[in-house]
Amino acid sequence: AFVMAARKFQSNVRVRKADLGAKPANGKSPFDLMMLAAEQGTQLLIEVEGPDADQAGPILAEILGSPGSGAFA
């Protein structure tokens, strides 16, 4: 759900673990997001930059915050 939603926006979307020094993943790439190895309950940060970032940020945050959403699918 997350990747499909992220791809609808022009903005760049990056997701990273909240750990200090964690490398960001391309939020539009299923492979990159899988490489995060984020288990349920892992705190994630979303970085959105671009012309529609104000619209994309809240929508993508809501998808990640939805319990049982299979967010990265």
Side-chain angles (χ1 to χ4, degrees):
F2 185 89
V3 171
M4 289 177 18
R7 287 179 175 171
K8 291 180 181 178
F9 297 101
Q10 293 178 347
S11 294
N12 292 321
V13 178
R14 288 179 301 281
V15 180
R16 64 179 175 90
K17 290 182 180 180
D19 301 340
L20 193 61
K23 181 180 175 185
N26 178 350
K28 296 181 180 185
S29 168
F31 180 76
D32 280 6
L33 292 176
M34 286 187 337
M35 295 305 291
L36 283 176
E39 298 178 12
Q40 186 172 355
T42 301
Q43 233 181 0
L44 298 172
L45 299 175
I46 304 170
E47 301 167 355
V48 184
E49 289 183 49
D52 50 6
D54 290 343
Q55 297 150 348
I59 291 170
L60 297 173
E62 183 176 336
I63 291 170
L64 284 185
S66 299
S69 67
F72 289 150

